Amino acid sequence: MSEQKFGVIGLAVMGENLALNVERNGFPVAVYNRTSAKTDEFMQKRAPGKNVKPAYSLEEFVQSLERPRRILVMVKAGKPVDAVIDQLKPLLDQDDMIIDGGNSLYEDTERRTKELEATGLGFMGMGVSGGEEGALWGPSLMPGGTENSYQALEPILTKIAAQVDDGPCVTYIGPGGAGHYVKMVHNGIEYGDMQLIAEAYDLLRNVIGLNEQQLYEVFAEWNTTDELNSFLVEITADIFKQKDPETGKPLVDLILDSAGQKGTGRWTVVSALELGVSIPTITAAVNSRIISSYKDERVAASQQLPGPSANFDGDVSAFINKVRDALYCSKICSYAQGMALIGKASQEFNYHLNLGEIARIWKGGCIIRAGFLNKIKQAYDQNPQLPNLLLAPEFKQTILDRQSAWREVLVTANTMGIPVPAFSASLDYFDSYRRVSLPQNLTQAQRDYFGAHTYERIDKPRGQFFHTEWTNVD
């Protein structure tokens, strides 16, 4: 009986597509799904003529695999992953490996790695980005765990990953939960990117009144530029072309403005708070999705809380260009925040992450793939200790050249009552980062006044702390 070289558990779309990707690249696959009807459907509709072997029990699935076994688990994050692992453990032999390819919380991955490796089994937490198409034709892969485990999987992963000019979009990320941590922050950056694009759309639509055809033309043109060429800008242009077959209206206008989220953006914000890293653009994006869910409240509030009645009377073409510049500057800030968070996590958790290599594997396959990731990679290659992307020569000059347009866009948005929380958060981040003095000297005085928390002085060496009896002031 032939033995399959790779196993996939979980046949939702991502699991199916990854299984087909592995098989297409020369590795016979075994598949298992908790619901046998789903397995049958996959075999009948998508796997005919392919070297894919179905199994209808975990015992049959495990027995069909070549040793040491390589098993990719593609089930919902959280308890379902633990349940599958618990069912697999008694069926596996030493050196067999489980790979969790879902969006698991990195702390869960740390725990699972320790528990499984103590039993002689291998475990990797692997971030997978690219959506359904990426999973089938080449995603960006972010595997974390022991380096030996990665080396055992490398021949498969380098074949199934997206391919770009400088290699496959996969690399060994780091130990423990490093892979899932990087994927989590990737998703946080994705939240920021999507919110910034949505705000640009809102400005173009509701300040200068562009219709769907004009919006398509603008975003399609932006996608040809070095600055904004990206998957998300590309699909945004495509969205504006789609008509609703039932009404003939632009489909985007019929979609309810209440955005969902699966948790990775929120996890990114929580981790940043815990590590003391400022990521205001990503936080604004998460908050924007939350407030969008207040649809009924917003409809009611709109009847009682009128905004300004100003009208735009400027140059339309010039404003479009300014929005483009504001979008790019804000995007740089969002990526700067994400990379700063990854860098801090690398220090805190001893992940030893290579930020330039992480930027490289995001160049293809993943949702945030963009032309300017080349520039990010180059920035970290030139200075691996770069504290913030805003200080990289090219990005620094880009923002200095465009900040006037950026500020003008925010003034227009505020004047007309258009919320731009991510644009604003990005500019606030830039202005806060570049200022020698911030008003937190007053904050420290307040903290010392009510809680004797002490403060440092600008005219004394750092590390010396002082307290004042403020109530004695005349």
Side-chain angles (χ1 to χ4, degrees):
M1 182 175 72
S2 64
E3 294 180 321
Q4 308 301 91
K5 293 186 179 296
F6 196 78
V8 177
I9 294 176
L11 292 176
V13 175
M14 288 292 287
E16 284 188 1
N17 284 359
L18 283 167
L20 293 173
N21 187 350
V22 171
E23 191 276 340
R24 188 181 66 252
N25 280 284
F27 304 96
V29 175
V31 297
Y32 170 78
N33 195 78
R34 182 173 55 87
T35 306
S36 59
K38 181 64 176 171
T39 305
D40 286 335
E41 180 184 9
F42 173 65
M43 294 304 299
Q44 292 166 10
K45 293 184 176 180
R46 305 197 66 192
K50 302 184 186 301
N51 198 339
V52 177
K53 185 173 185 178
Y56 295 92
S57 70
L58 280 177
E59 292 81 2
E60 179 188 0
F61 172 78
V62 168
Q63 290 168 9
S64 70
L65 291 170
E66 174 185 276
R67 294 182 58 187
R69 303 174 179 95
R70 305 288 180 253
I71 300 171
L72 176 63
V73 177
M74 295 297 296
V75 300
K76 187 177 179 181
K79 292 181 179 179
V81 176
D82 287 321
V84 170
I85 290 173
D86 288 342
Q87 294 167 39
L88 277 174
K89 278 193 296 188
L91 305 176
L92 300 180
D93 298 300
Q94 187 164 346
D95 296 328
D96 288 350
M97 187 190 305
I98 299 172
I99 308 114
D100 174 14
N103 275 330
S104 288
L105 181 62
Y106 72 98
E107 293 169 325
D108 289 340
T109 303
E110 297 276 0
R111 168 179 56 80
R112 292 166 185 149
T113 301
K114 292 174 183 176
E115 291 174 354
L116 286 168
E117 290 187 350
T119 70
L121 297 174
F123 184 77
M124 294 205 80
M126 183 171 71
V128 179
S129 179
E132 299 174 12
E133 286 297 306
L136 181 61
W137 299 108
S140 175
L141 300 173
M142 292 154 261
T146 64
E147 196 155 7
N148 286 340
S149 295
Y150 174 72
Q151 289 171 354
L153 286 170
E154 190 173 25
I156 297 175
L157 299 184
T158 54
K159 286 285 187 67
I160 69 171
Q163 307 294 316
V164 293
D165 56 351
D166 50 7
C169 292
V170 61
T171 192
Y172 172 63
I173 298 295
H180 275 141
Y181 192 93
V182 169
K183 176 55 164 58
M184 176 188 77
V185 179
H186 164 286
N187 284 22
I189 294 171
E190 178 184 310
Y191 273 55
D193 248 0
M194 294 174 71
Q195 177 63 26
L196 291 168
I197 291 170
E199 291 176 15
Y201 151 69
D202 198 6
L203 290 165
L204 298 177
R205 182 63 185 269
N206 293 304
V207 172
I208 57 176
L210 298 192
N211 61 33
E212 275 67 27
Q213 177 61 30
Q214 293 168 320
L215 288 165
Y216 161 73
E217 291 169 0
V218 167
F219 278 89
E221 193 276 326
W222 285 357
N223 194 49
T224 66
T225 65
D226 289 339
E227 296 91 347
L228 294 179
N229 169 253
S230 67
F231 172 73
L232 285 170
V233 170
E234 177 186 350
I235 68 170
T236 300
D238 287 345
I239 285 168
F240 293 127
K241 292 192 298 183
Q242 187 68 43
K243 299 289 186 181
D244 172 46
E246 188 174 325
T247 64
K249 297 179 179 178
L251 181 57
V252 69
D253 290 347
L254 300 176
I255 296 175
L256 184 70
D257 56 323
S258 178
Q261 55 182 311
K262 292 187 175 180
T264 47
R266 174 172 50 83
W267 294 347
T268 305
V269 173
V270 169
S271 179
L273 291 170
E274 292 173 342
L275 293 176
V277 178
S278 177
I279 57 165
T281 307
I282 296 169
T283 302
V286 174
N287 284 332
S288 294
R289 294 199 190 190
I290 292 170
I291 202 167
S292 79
S293 69
Y294 303 171
K295 178 63 177 179
D296 293 341
E297 287 184 53
R298 290 189 290 111
V299 170
S302 70
Q303 305 301 311
Q304 303 181 53
L305 302 173
S309 56
N311 293 311
F312 181 80
D313 60 359
D315 184 299
V316 168
S317 295
F319 185 73
I320 291 172
N321 289 335
K322 289 173 184 177
V323 172
R324 178 199 62 207
D325 289 345
L327 176 57
Y328 186 45
C329 291
S330 298
K331 184 184 179 81
I332 291 170
C333 288
S334 184
Y335 278 73
Q337 294 161 33
M339 299 307 281
L341 178 57
I342 291 173
K344 183 62 179 289
S346 181
Q347 298 171 9
E348 190 76 14
F349 305 138
N350 295 313
Y351 283 158
H352 308 292
L353 302 177
N354 183 329
L355 299 187
E357 183 68 356
I358 289 169
R360 186 194 70 77
I361 68 168
W362 288 348
K363 286 166 53 177
C366 72
I367 301 301
I368 65 170
R369 61 185 183 266
F372 96 128
L373 281 160
N374 262 322
K375 298 177 182 178
I376 295 178
K377 178 185 183 300
Q378 291 165 7
Y380 285 113
D381 286 349
Q382 292 166 7
N383 182 6
Q385 305 307 316
L386 184 69
N388 193 293
L389 277 177
L390 296 180
L391 300 177
E394 177 162 339
F395 294 131
K396 175 180 69 176
Q397 195 58 48
T398 291
I399 289 183
L400 294 178
D401 290 343
R402 304 179 189 213
Q403 64 171 312
S404 294
W406 192 9
R407 296 178 193 282
E408 288 177 36
V409 167
L410 265 67
V411 169
T412 300
N414 291 336
T415 300
M416 298 191 66
I418 305 292
V420 283
F423 274 23
S424 300
S426 293
L427 183 57
D428 288 343
Y429 179 77
F430 170 72
D431 280 337
S432 296
Y433 192 72
R434 69 172 182 80
R435 284 190 67 190
V436 173
S437 298
L438 292 171
Q440 273 60 53
N441 55 327
L442 177 59
T443 304
Q444 281 302 99
Q446 292 169 331
R447 294 180 72 241
D448 189 57
Y449 190 115
F450 65 69
H453 293 292
T454 74
Y455 54 85
E456 296 175 275
R457 293 174 60 110
I458 62 174
D459 58 350
K460 304 291 184 182
R462 292 292 297 272
Q464 293 185 24
F465 292 87
F466 301 87
H467 169 61
T468 293
E469 293 296 332
W470 299 92
T471 52
N472 293 332
V473 177
D474 291 334

